Each structure stands twice: as structure tokens, then as C-alpha cells.
Amino acid sequence: MGKVLKCIVLDDELPGLTYLKMLCQQIEGVEVVKAYSDPLIFLNEVQYLEFDFCISDIEMPGINGLELGKLLPNCPIIFTTAYKQYAVDAFGMDAIDYITKPIQKERLIQGVKKLRKYLNTNTPKRNYIQIQTDRGKTSILFSQLNYIRNSDIDSRDKLAHLEDGSTLILKNVSFEKLLEQLPENQFSRINKKEVLALRIVKYFTAHEITTLLLDEDGRALSFSLTDTYRKRFLNKMPGEQIT
């Protein structure tokens, strides 16, 4: 099946929107993040949403689907419409598919298959994590992320320490969700409260990791390595493979 694809659906007619959402929910590997009857509301909220593609009607008030696509140039779109005359324009802007109404489930499944093929061949390997922070939705380069620890203020949040010495509060996210987005060969959880970038490791013992970072007094910053996470950490370190 592959990864679950997160989808935004848009149609200004509520019956059509409800039907489209229902069809998507019947397709294995597709998750509807949110449904919009007003594309302008979607544009106001898009920076806070995490999704892989859109299924959008073309004729909508305020802004039509083609105009919407131009405002989201990096977002794959499957267009749906009752009118065939928009097909040339849609494919001219590299739409994934163009499905005429009434939409059939089998036809929508074909569109999702085209999308998966497109993502497998065109999606570049990410060098960043995109996440909700105290400054809004933020992209953080892996190369700039030193370590992440639990927030002392709210246990649901995490505190990301960056290469330039600044910090960001990662809002309402678990370590499990973070590790799904971080490269496994570059980051490791080392205890219940912290995840560490392997590039900052200077040396380590069975219970402590000393890093290249310095504390306020100019001493090397150290972290505890606990039993639960030791084996996984050691297996990621060069020359320290264990069975």
C-alpha cells in the first residue's frame, strides 16, 4: 500500500464535498485531513496544515481551482469538475489528474495511483523537518538541529536546540512522531527526555554522551544514555556495532 497519503478536499457545493470525502475514505492509503467548501478559508489555514495533495473542484467562488493551483505550485492536485473545457489548462499546469463529475470510485483510485507514481519519481529527499512551533509552521534543516528535549513548561511540547544557539518550542508532539520524520542514521533517542543529533557526539561511555557543544561555562555538554536506548544508539555509531 505504501505510506498513507494525507489529502485536502475542496468543493463549494456541500453535497459534492460530502460525496468526495466519502469516496476518499473508502480508498485504502488515503486520509482526509480536512474538507473545505470555501477555498479562501483553505488558503488562510494552509500554513497550519500537513498534507500530501489536494483534490479540488475547478469552478468555485472567490478563487477557482486553477488559480488555487498556481498559488500552491509545489502541491500535487487532482482536479474534479463537471466541465471538460478546463482539461488543457489543468494539464498545462502539471495537474496529477483531471476527473469529470459524477466521480466514480474506480476513477478516483486511478488518480491516486497516478499520484503515488508521481511522488515516487518526483519527490526530492527532504533535508528538513516541517512542524508546528511557537512561531507557526516552521521548517528546520536537519543540519541545524542539535538536540530535542522535553519542555519544562508543558510536557506535551518539546524544545529544539539549534546550531546557532537559538531554541524553538515544538508544539504538542511526541518523540515517536518526531523520530518518524527525522533521518534514522542522523538522530537517536538517548533517554526518556531527549533526542540527539549524532553529528554532535564527541565520545561516550555506557551511561554518558559527551558532545562537541559547550555549556555556559565553556565545558563540554553531556547527556545521559539510559539502558532502554543504549543498544539502538550504539548500533548507529561508526565502529560500535553490537548484537
Side-chain angles (χ1 to χ4, degrees):
M1 180 185 71
K3 68 168 277 191
V4 174
L5 298 175
K6 296 183 177 182
C7 172
I8 299 292
V9 295
L10 300 106
D11 194 316
D12 64 302
E13 296 182 355
L14 289 178
L17 183 65
T18 301
Y19 177 68
L20 179 57
K21 183 179 178 180
M22 180 193 70
L23 286 183
C24 290
Q25 291 171 335
Q26 294 177 5
I27 298 176
E28 186 178 11
V30 174
E31 174 189 342
V32 177
V33 175
K34 202 163 183 180
Y36 289 90
S37 60
D38 187 335
L40 295 178
I41 294 177
F42 166 61
L43 286 175
N44 287 334
E45 297 181 0
V46 67
Q47 62 177 319
Y48 305 110
L49 301 170
E50 185 176 340
F51 60 98
D52 298 299
F53 73 109
C54 289
I55 302 177
S56 176
D57 189 20
I58 290 183
E59 287 205 342
M60 296 183 291
I63 180 171
N64 68 40
L66 297 175
E67 293 168 334
L68 180 70
K70 292 176 183 178
L71 294 174
L72 303 170
N74 298 318
C75 174
I77 296 183
I78 295 174
F79 286 115
T80 64
T81 181
Y83 306 96
K84 296 181 179 180
Q85 67 264 31
Y86 296 112
V88 173
D89 290 334
F91 286 116
M93 56 183 293
D94 296 326
I96 299 299
D97 207 347
Y98 184 95
I99 302 175
T100 54
K101 297 179 179 180
I103 304 169
Q104 302 298 320
K105 178 181 175 181
E106 293 73 19
R107 182 64 184 86
L108 189 56
I109 289 174
Q110 290 180 16
V112 172
K113 287 181 178 178
K114 289 181 181 180
L115 172 69
R116 286 193 181 278
K117 185 176 180 180
Y118 169 84
L119 293 175
N120 288 336
T121 56
N122 292 277
T123 302
K125 188 175 180 181
R126 279 190 174 186
N127 62 349
Y128 64 92
I129 183 174
Q130 194 171 60
I131 195 165
Q132 191 68 28
T133 75
D134 56 327
R135 303 179 190 178
K137 195 169 187 180
T138 304
S139 297
I140 308 173
L141 292 172
F142 299 142
S143 61
Q144 296 301 305
L145 186 54
N146 284 339
Y147 65 96
I148 305 168
R149 64 176 177 84
N150 274 338
S151 169
D152 295 328
I153 300 174
D154 188 334
S155 59
R156 296 171 299 179
D157 297 340
K158 305 293 179 283
L159 194 62
H161 291 255
L162 307 183
E163 185 73 17
D164 63 1
S166 64
T167 59
L168 282 172
I169 299 174
L170 312 183
K171 302 299 294 181
N172 195 23
V173 63
S174 66
F175 280 125
E176 288 75 19
K177 287 294 183 181
L178 284 170
L179 289 170
E180 287 178 3
Q181 300 184 63
L182 295 172
E184 189 175 359
N185 64 342
Q186 296 181 39
F187 293 86
S188 182
R189 192 167 184 180
I190 56 173
N191 55 58
K192 287 185 176 181
K193 297 182 178 181
E194 293 164 322
V195 166
L196 197 71
L198 300 180
R199 73 175 190 282
I200 69 171
V201 175
K202 187 175 183 181
Y203 56 84
F204 55 89
T205 67
H207 302 287
E208 185 178 60
I209 300 169
T210 301
T211 71
L212 300 168
L213 307 179
L214 302 178
D215 63 18
E216 295 178 353
D217 298 320
R219 295 174 297 192
L221 192 62
S222 296
F223 298 82
S224 64
L225 176 61
T226 59
D227 295 344
T228 303
Y229 304 98
R230 184 180 301 113
K231 182 176 180 179
R232 185 171 297 178
F233 168 77
L234 293 178
N235 278 331
K236 295 181 180 183
M237 298 306 296
E240 291 290 340
Q241 303 299 315
I242 66 173
T243 58

